[in-house]
Amino acid sequence: MLTYSFEAARSEPLYQHLYQCIKNDIMQGVLSPNEKLPSKRSFAKNLGVSTITVENAYAQLAAEGYVYSLPKKGFFVTDIRNDLSREKEKNCKREEKEQTEQKRYLADFTSNQTCSEQFPFSIWAKLMRAVLKEEREGLMKNAPCAGILPLREAIAGHLKAFRGMDVEPEQIVIGAGTEYLYGLLLQLLGMEKCYGVEDPGYHKIYKVYKSHRVPCSYVEMDGAGVVVSSLEDGGVDVVHISPSHHFPTGIVMPVSRRYELLGWAAKAEGRYIIEDDYDSEFRLTGKPVPSLQSIDVQEKVIYMNTFTKTLSSTVRVSYMVLPSHLAQQFRGTLSFYSCTVSNFEQYVLARFIQEGYFERHINRMRNYYHEKRDLLLKQIAGSPIADCCGISEEDAGLHFLMKVDTDIPDEEICRELDREGVRISSVAQYYVNPPEKKEHVFVMNYSSLEEENLKKVMAVFERVFARKRKKQ
Amino acid sequence: MLTYSFEAARSEPLYQHLYQCIKNDIMQGVLSPNEKLPSKRSFAKNLGVSTITVENAYAQLAAEGYVYSLPKKGFFVTDIRNDLSREKEKNCKREEKEQTEQKRYLADFTSNQTCSEQFPFSIWAKLMRAVLKEEREGLMKNAPCAGILPLREAIAGHLKAFRGMDVEPEQIVIGAGTEYLYGLLLQLLGMEKCYGVEDPGYHKIYKVYKSHRVPCSYVEMDGAGVVVSSLEDGGVDVVHISPSHHFPTGIVMPVSRRYELLGWAAKAEGRYIIEDDYDSEFRLTGKPVPSLQSIDVQEKVIYMNTFTKTLSSTVRVSYMVLPSHLAQQFRGTLSFYSCTVSNFEQYVLARFIQEGYFERHINRMRNYYHEKRDLLLKQIAGSPIADCCGISEEDAGLHFLMKVDTDIPDEEICRELDREGVRISSVAQYYVNPPEKKEHVFVMNYSSLEEENLKKVMAVFERVFARKRKKQ
């Protein structure tokens, strides 16, 4: 059996000395790869030390990868030259790389990314410096779960000025992204409730609910938004909608349907409407429609919005406005949570809004997108594909619909466009239960379109659509 | 019935004109508070416009608070001078104020807040400027769900250097706080599993599990940490522990118990150990114990740690290290989530770690806390309360235990200290099933203690403890 002297141990702990001795033997090849080490008990007896000493030495060797353990068999020397676990890690690495490496597209009409030149970097930097200098104490104090008061006040002011909403800062809850807030809402409203999501709709919302294993039901839509009878049929308790601008159809819910929905919610206790107002800031023409929250007098609407869409992923801040009784319940049951947005980002954003930069930024972005949209529409109108393409829902938000007159399946069109560097999705892809009427409508998310690529993109459209039509 | 002329409407939409007319009448008192407005249908007929026009006008009036609706009764004029909803909001406000207003304590031994002077503001500011300047494109690109690669690489490097852990960046998931990561883990491991938490333990962990409505079981502890037989008895699938430094008992789990736990986990598929390493950086004396993760060869340990504790709430960044197979599963099922930490904060923190500032900061903080602890212990040892107070578990993390020789109930001691401005909690408070042996042990979280108050705090201890002993 292995034997080491403990005379040289001096001041260091015994296990540390033993660890060093074994490690040296492994490094110098005295102990061979996959050789079994003595059992703890017999080794301890042999060395005249306690079992704990051997145990601790083995643990540290294992921790550093010099030995490995097999259940009920003991400890073995690692083959350092040919570590199997490396293989596993390599696989893991490759897989992640594949997932994060994105193909460079000429244009990606499925992405809602904006380009970095539009972000007001210098103003943001100025405000950051000011916050670091002037808010030191506030920065180090744990924020309430719902977020720091100055930011909630700023948001309330913004909602008043921009959306005509009368909201108290106490009703506002700030969080790191709407997806996180959905999770909080599930905890607030109950995991046993049935959540209704729009069909067609934004897949992510459904995924969040499913991932939390809550009952979830798809709700049918007509030209005015979700069909109220479908809520009753599906046994829905909480319905998640975006009445200001539905994705992907672009529908703006008319007032009559809004009242119908509020009526549905009022009929039973525990019914709620989640109003996802994700891109109401970018309504390009016409007066913005009042939010559902602002016509709700029965505390049935939970309003949600995000700054990530308007300001980019540099900031990750969203918020929800709870009806008073839910805000109270939130403080009672969920305020043990820490706010997920750092104090620093909250203070900077509060100033950004309060000092008027946010409004100016939105206005500038609205013009920027307005021009981008017009340019794209003009190109389409002036191109040979104009007579086979119909444009609709182009006034609200950052996407419009393009209906193409063809009898080739959507998937084939998408595939061919993709091959040529243009990524696009069809409305049909967002349906779980697609309508019988087969139309070829594509979602044109133009926010990330680079103008210098526009001519090339149009050429691709012409090639693909022309080919299609010849086949007819 | 009300009648308005539409001749003056000119270019504005009809509903807008009608809205303006009614609003004027409300403002001028022509329409009295609580007066019922005509039903939509009859009003529309009377005015010769469509019902939609009236509906839209009413909606906008309601949105702006000029009228309110009662279900099945119709619309009524709001009493603008005496708005009932204001009353409700006031209540809401007061309640939140009470919750956020914290009493100013002479010393708060229940808080883990650090003071702002310790945060390296100027270095942080420098790195922020550099990131804003040099990472523009990265800042605007959506990060992978698990976080940006440079930060995960920096964390892997830190874990290697500081904890001897061999971890691939692909195993790391970054999130806005450990509480958020607990929620993600529940979605990853399953909501139907039984989660075990330590008794006594940190209440928040239990609250997070309960709030997600997952089965949850308290696990008994002895002097070495959680008792393995108690895991079996409670039907636990996933156990949540902090082996490096348990709160509140301060126990550092010995190696033998660690292996016992790993053995328990290996016995059945789907069993996991969540290792919460929340303050291992602040072990004040002795070599840090290797993490449980580093001796786990069967992919059973999920390691968690946070920067919020080491860097303050200015940043809200935590991370977990998943075993390879769970990392793979995570990418498959949960990567649709956006990362909850803003790109900006991720880039700054990555540089902070990579450029060696984090290590220096930890070292400085460790010295700072070391001195603070020694000062407090010295004061206690030299004071009249020394003979009735026993100190233990003072080497790891930022709290120690103080056992007081008295027969007065803990609650009374806490109440009296509170009255004198010293906030303290007893170990018994952290138990769900307290042990039979009644000891008076208090948790001394000294991180936020201000040295200039130390003499006063000691005087309070002397007064309260002396009074107690006279009563005996």
Side-chain angles (χ1 to χ4, degrees):
Chain A
M1 193 181 285
L2 277 174
T3 306
Y4 299 110
S5 154
F6 281 81
E7 275 171 30
R10 278 171 312 196
S11 68
E12 63 182 341
L14 293 181
Y15 87 92
Q16 194 71 36
H17 177 73
L18 181 58
Y19 150 83
Q20 199 59 56
C21 294
I22 302 174
K23 182 176 153 184
N24 289 345
D25 281 358
I26 293 172
M27 297 301 280
Q28 287 159 18
V30 178
L31 288 165
S32 325
N34 303 314
E35 186 176 337
K36 191 179 179 307
L37 292 178
S39 83
K40 287 177 247 172
R41 202 163 305 177
S42 58
F43 200 16
K45 211 172 159 191
N46 186 44
L47 296 171
V49 297
S50 78
T51 327
I52 302 285
T53 301
V54 179
E55 204 157 69
N56 288 348
Y58 281 9
Q60 189 158 352
L61 287 164
E64 295 176 7
Y66 294 103
V67 305
Y68 61 96
S69 76
L70 291 177
K72 291 181 190 160
K73 290 198 173 152
F75 285 86
F76 298 83
V77 176
T78 308
D79 187 348
I80 299 172
R81 296 151 306 173
N82 176 24
D83 195 341
L84 274 171
S85 67
R86 295 284 149 202
E87 205 46 45
K88 220 180 209 170
E89 281 157 10
K90 256 187 237 152
N91 282 340
C92 189
K93 248 182 183 159
R94 204 195 47 233
E95 195 186 310
E96 179 171 295
K97 211 174 159 200
E98 278 166 9
Q99 213 176 44
T100 50
E101 252 181 22
Q102 289 153 1
K103 186 175 162 183
R104 284 292 297 171
Y105 284 99
L106 203 57
D108 184 352
F109 291 104
T110 70
S111 154
N112 57 13
Q113 195 117 30
T114 58
C115 51
S116 62
E117 290 98 72
Q118 300 306 313
F119 184 76
F121 276 109
S122 59
I123 289 162
W124 198 258
K126 188 185 82 177
L127 293 175
M128 288 198 311
R129 280 195 299 275
V131 164
L132 270 184
K133 216 168 138 187
E134 294 156 27
E135 302 280 4
R136 290 205 173 188
E137 214 184 321
L139 282 177
M140 306 304 288
K141 243 191 356 224
N142 292 337
C145 170
I148 63 163
L149 193 58
L151 178 55
R152 287 184 287 144
E153 282 169 347
I155 290 172
H158 166 72
L159 287 175
K160 176 83 193 157
F162 192 79
R163 291 294 265 141
M165 285 164 65
D166 250 317
V167 159
E168 294 295 317
E170 289 72 20
Q171 293 174 260
I172 296 176
V173 175
I174 289 157
T178 32
E179 296 158 13
Y180 169 72
L181 293 175
Y182 300 161
L184 267 190
L185 265 186
L186 291 178
Q187 295 171 57
L188 184 67
L189 302 178
M191 298 286 203
E192 69 294 344
K193 287 236 164 88
C194 177
Y195 291 81
V197 294
E198 297 163 316
D199 181 26
Y202 189 50
H203 291 322
K204 240 186 188 181
I205 294 166
Y206 187 73
K207 279 188 184 164
V208 173
Y209 288 130
K210 268 292 151 209
S211 179
H212 280 88
R213 277 77 155 177
V214 298
C216 200
S217 173
Y218 283 107
V219 181
E220 203 186 310
M221 293 190 66
D222 62 17
V226 292
V227 177
V228 174
S229 65
S230 166
L231 294 176
E232 301 276 6
D233 296 346
V236 169
D237 298 302
V238 181
V239 63
H240 192 130
I241 55 172
S242 39
S244 302
H245 186 219
H246 177 257
F247 184 86
T249 66
I251 291 171
V252 179
M253 188 183 282
V255 177
S256 53
R257 181 60 57 87
R258 289 169 189 244
Y259 277 109
E260 238 189 289
L261 263 176
L262 288 172
W264 164 82
K267 259 190 216 153
E269 215 178 316
R271 282 190 179 171
Y272 290 101
I273 301 166
I274 301 174
E275 178 180 26
D276 209 330
D277 205 28
Y278 71 104
D279 74 349
S280 63
E281 290 84 357
F282 292 127
R283 188 167 178 84
L284 301 184
T285 44
K287 234 180 123 79
V289 187
S291 70
L292 196 56
Q293 194 274 350
S294 61
I295 59 170
D296 166 35
V297 290
Q298 310 217 52
E299 307 207 339
K300 286 296 189 181
V301 176
I302 295 152
Y303 176 92
M304 289 196 141
N305 208 336
T306 178
F307 290 99
T308 303
K309 184 106 182 172
T310 35
L311 281 176
S312 92
S313 49
T314 307
V315 289
R316 165 95 16 218
V317 186
S318 300
Y319 62 92
M320 57 182 174
V321 179
L322 297 173
S324 297
H325 75 282
L326 282 184
Q328 206 164 345
Q329 192 184 319
F330 179 82
R331 279 191 293 278
T333 61
L334 295 174
S335 62
F336 69 89
Y337 275 115
S338 303
C339 184
T340 43
V341 183
S342 70
N343 285 6
F344 184 68
E345 218 148 70
Q346 292 192 61
Y347 276 106
V348 175
L349 181 56
R351 288 186 184 216
F352 190 76
I353 301 170
Q354 251 152 1
E355 296 176 19
Y357 296 115
F358 183 56
E359 203 191 324
R360 261 170 275 165
H361 177 68
I362 289 181
N363 289 338
R364 204 179 52 243
M365 291 307 285
R366 207 185 291 123
N367 290 334
Y368 170 80
Y369 289 127
H370 205 300
E371 279 170 25
K372 196 170 248 192
R373 183 203 63 176
D374 287 351
L375 199 67
L376 179 58
L377 291 179
K378 209 174 123 192
Q379 288 284 332
I380 294 174
S383 94
I385 66 164
D387 58 329
C388 74
C389 287
I391 304 297
S392 63
E393 303 296 349
E394 70 271 34
D395 285 340
L398 300 181
H399 74 271
F400 60 80
L401 300 181
M402 184 164 79
K403 186 173 155 187
V404 181
D405 182 20
T406 178
D407 55 5
I408 311 294
D410 290 355
E411 299 73 42
E412 213 176 308
I413 295 183
C414 292
R415 212 161 38 231
E416 287 211 28
L417 287 170
D418 192 282
R419 239 196 315 265
E420 303 238 26
V422 176
R423 200 170 177 206
I424 201 171
S425 61
S426 72
V427 169
Q429 284 175 249
Y430 296 96
Y431 272 99
V432 176
N433 303 303
E436 282 184 22
K437 199 171 142 200
K438 282 264 172 283
E439 288 186 326
H440 303 276
V441 186
F442 297 90
V443 183
M444 303 290 283
N445 215 321
Y446 54 84
S447 65
S448 68
L449 181 67
E450 286 167 39
E451 287 178 21
E452 61 267 34
N453 292 340
L454 193 51
K455 287 231 179 300
K456 282 187 200 163
V457 173
M458 289 310 300
V460 172
F461 278 146
E462 283 166 33
R463 267 202 305 282
V464 173
F465 292 144
R467 197 158 34 188
K468 291 296 148 211
R469 288 161 77 220
K470 265 182 220 146
K471 277 188 191 166
Q472 276 183 325
Chain B
M1 193 181 286
L2 276 174
T3 306
Y4 299 110
S5 154
F6 281 81
E7 275 172 29
R10 277 170 310 198
S11 68
E12 65 181 339
L14 293 182
Y15 89 90
Q16 195 72 33
H17 177 73
L18 181 58
Y19 151 82
Q20 199 59 55
C21 294
I22 303 174
K23 182 175 154 185
N24 288 345
D25 280 358
I26 292 172
M27 297 299 280
Q28 286 160 20
V30 178
L31 287 165
S32 324
N34 304 313
E35 186 174 337
K36 190 181 181 307
L37 292 178
S39 83
K40 287 177 247 174
R41 199 163 306 175
S42 58
F43 199 15
K45 208 172 162 192
N46 186 44
L47 296 172
V49 296
S50 79
T51 327
I52 302 284
T53 302
V54 179
E55 204 156 68
N56 289 348
Y58 280 9
Q60 190 157 351
L61 287 164
E64 296 176 7
Y66 294 104
V67 306
Y68 61 95
S69 77
L70 291 177
K72 291 182 189 158
K73 289 198 173 153
F75 285 85
F76 298 83
V77 176
T78 308
D79 187 348
I80 299 172
R81 294 152 307 172
N82 175 25
D83 194 342
L84 273 173
S85 67
R86 295 286 150 200
E87 203 49 43
K88 223 182 208 166
E89 281 157 9
K90 256 187 236 154
N91 281 340
C92 190
K93 248 184 184 160
R94 204 195 47 231
E95 196 187 308
E96 179 170 293
K97 212 175 160 200
E98 278 166 11
Q99 214 177 44
T100 50
E101 253 181 22
Q102 288 153 2
K103 188 176 160 183
R104 285 292 294 172
Y105 284 98
L106 201 57
D108 184 354
F109 291 104
T110 69
S111 154
N112 57 13
Q113 195 116 35
T114 57
C115 51
S116 61
E117 289 99 72
Q118 300 307 314
F119 185 76
F121 277 109
S122 59
I123 290 163
W124 199 258
K126 189 185 82 178
L127 294 175
M128 287 197 316
R129 280 194 300 275
V131 164
L132 270 184
K133 216 168 138 185
E134 295 156 26
E135 302 280 4
R136 289 206 174 188
E137 213 183 323
L139 282 177
M140 307 305 287
K141 241 189 359 222
N142 291 338
C145 169
I148 64 164
L149 193 58
L151 179 55
R152 287 183 289 143
E153 282 169 346
I155 291 172
H158 166 73
L159 287 175
K160 177 83 191 156
F162 192 80
R163 292 293 265 141
M165 285 164 65
D166 250 317
V167 159
E168 293 296 316
E170 289 71 21
Q171 294 174 261
I172 297 176
V173 175
I174 289 157
T178 32
E179 296 158 11
Y180 169 72
L181 293 174
Y182 300 161
L184 268 189
L185 266 186
L186 291 178
Q187 295 171 56
L188 184 67
L189 302 178
M191 298 287 205
E192 70 296 342
K193 288 237 163 86
C194 176
Y195 291 81
V197 294
E198 297 162 316
D199 181 26
Y202 190 48
H203 291 322
K204 239 185 188 182
I205 294 166
Y206 187 74
K207 279 188 184 164
V208 172
Y209 289 130
K210 267 293 152 208
S211 179
H212 281 87
R213 276 78 156 178
V214 297
C216 199
S217 173
Y218 282 106
V219 181
E220 204 185 309
M221 293 190 68
D222 62 17
V226 292
V227 177
V228 174
S229 65
S230 166
L231 294 175
E232 301 277 5
D233 296 346
V236 170
D237 299 301
V238 182
V239 64
H240 192 131
I241 55 172
S242 39
S244 301
H245 186 219
H246 177 258
F247 184 86
T249 66
I251 291 170
V252 179
M253 188 182 283
V255 176
S256 53
R257 181 61 56 87
R258 289 170 189 242
Y259 278 109
E260 240 190 289
L261 262 176
L262 289 172
W264 164 83
K267 260 190 216 154
E269 215 179 316
R271 282 190 180 171
Y272 290 101
I273 301 167
I274 301 174
E275 178 181 27
D276 210 330
D277 206 28
Y278 72 103
D279 74 350
S280 62
E281 290 85 357
F282 292 127
R283 188 165 179 83
L284 302 185
T285 45
K287 235 184 121 83
V289 187
S291 70
L292 197 56
Q293 195 274 348
S294 60
I295 59 170
D296 166 35
V297 291
Q298 312 217 49
E299 307 208 338
K300 287 296 190 180
V301 176
I302 296 153
Y303 176 92
M304 289 195 140
N305 208 337
T306 178
F307 291 99
T308 304
K309 184 105 181 170
T310 36
L311 281 176
S312 91
S313 47
T314 307
V315 289
R316 165 92 21 216
V317 185
S318 300
Y319 61 92
M320 57 183 173
V321 179
L322 297 173
S324 298
H325 75 282
L326 282 183
Q328 206 164 345
Q329 192 184 321
F330 179 83
R331 279 191 293 280
T333 60
L334 294 175
S335 62
F336 68 89
Y337 275 114
S338 304
C339 184
T340 43
V341 182
S342 70
N343 286 6
F344 185 67
E345 219 148 69
Q346 292 192 62
Y347 277 106
V348 175
L349 182 56
R351 289 185 182 217
F352 190 76
I353 300 170
Q354 251 151 2
E355 297 177 18
Y357 296 115
F358 183 57
E359 202 191 325
R360 262 170 275 165
H361 176 68
I362 289 180
N363 289 337
R364 204 179 52 244
M365 291 307 284
R366 207 186 289 123
N367 289 335
Y368 170 80
Y369 289 127
H370 205 300
E371 280 171 26
K372 198 171 247 191
R373 183 202 62 175
D374 287 351
L375 200 67
L376 178 58
L377 291 179
K378 208 173 124 193
Q379 288 284 333
I380 294 174
S383 92
I385 66 164
D387 58 330
C388 74
C389 288
I391 305 297
S392 64
E393 303 295 349
E394 69 271 35
D395 285 340
L398 300 181
H399 75 270
F400 59 80
L401 300 181
M402 185 165 78
K403 186 172 154 188
V404 180
D405 182 19
T406 178
D407 55 5
I408 312 295
D410 289 355
E411 299 73 41
E412 215 175 306
I413 295 182
C414 292
R415 211 159 40 230
E416 287 210 29
L417 286 170
D418 192 282
R419 236 193 322 261
E420 303 239 26
V422 176
R423 200 171 176 204
I424 201 170
S425 62
S426 72
V427 169
Q429 283 174 248
Y430 296 96
Y431 272 99
V432 175
N433 303 303
E436 281 184 22
K437 200 173 140 199
K438 282 265 171 284
E439 288 185 328
H440 302 275
V441 186
F442 297 90
V443 183
M444 303 290 282
N445 216 319
Y446 54 84
S447 65
S448 67
L449 181 66
E450 287 167 37
E451 287 179 21
E452 61 266 34
N453 291 341
L454 191 51
K455 286 230 178 303
K456 282 187 200 161
V457 172
M458 289 311 299
V460 171
F461 278 147
E462 283 167 33
R463 266 202 305 281
V464 172
F465 292 144
R467 198 160 33 193
K468 293 296 151 210
R469 290 160 76 219
K470 263 181 224 148
K471 276 188 190 164
Q472 279 185 323

